Amino acid sequence: MPRDWDQHYSDAANIDRDPSPLLVHVAGLLPPGRALDLACGTGRHALHLAQLGWQVTAVDASPAAIRQLRRAVGPHTTIDAHLADLAAHEFVIEPGAYDLICDFYYLQLDLFPSIREGVRPGGAFAGAIHLPAPGRSSGFALESGALRQIFSGWKIVYYSEAAEPGHSRPAARILARRA
């Protein structure tokens, strides 16, 4: 876990962000159940889901982010926040345990098989992953079409590749349902 993420999340300007419109949309389509927010940062998605009645597990490797998330949880909201480095496999995604798994802007290719297995039949995955951009490192970016391919065999409810308002880089966004 690079130390600069702790610095990033320690800056108040990086904390008060709205959930992704894609997550807001999917949360409105599905009845509340169990959700997993991977690389949750300060919990913008976890908090939104929990406020809608979801049982949320949120995971991030940044102690500053997890502290901010725990402070933001209201008296009538429960989020199971885990400080764990996903890249070091410190958190195991339980097979068939979640109605929704979300991953926004965190790319770890070897995590996708566990994500696919972690979604219950009928459940969904919602996420966005950066695409390569001119002048930017492509180390944390997927090639065009790759996110759709990762979820082949699932019902692709929504897929797009473009820059999202407020983001300078293009991203692949997906909502996929497990059969």
Side-chain angles (χ1 to χ4, degrees), residues 46-47 49-51 53-58 73-81:
L47 289 163
L49 291 167
Q51 289 166 353
W54 289 78
Q55 294 176 289
V56 183
T57 300
V73 173
H76 305 291
T77 306
T78 303
I79 295 174
D80 185 14

Side-chain angles (χ1 to χ4, degrees), residues 6 26 35-36 38 40-41 51 76 86 111-112 123-124 145 151 157 171-172 175:
D6 268 345
V26 71
L36 175 61
L38 295 169
C40 66
Q51 289 166 353
H76 305 291
L86 292 167
L111 199 57
F112 281 109
F151 287 95
V157 177
L175 170 55

Side-chain angles (χ1 to χ4, degrees), residues 152-176:
S152 67
W154 289 36
K155 178 176 173 56
I156 306 299
V157 177
Y158 174 80
Y159 186 82
S160 75
E161 292 186 359
E164 187 174 299
H167 289 268
S168 60
R169 295 176 66 178
R173 281 175 293 289
I174 192 168
L175 170 55

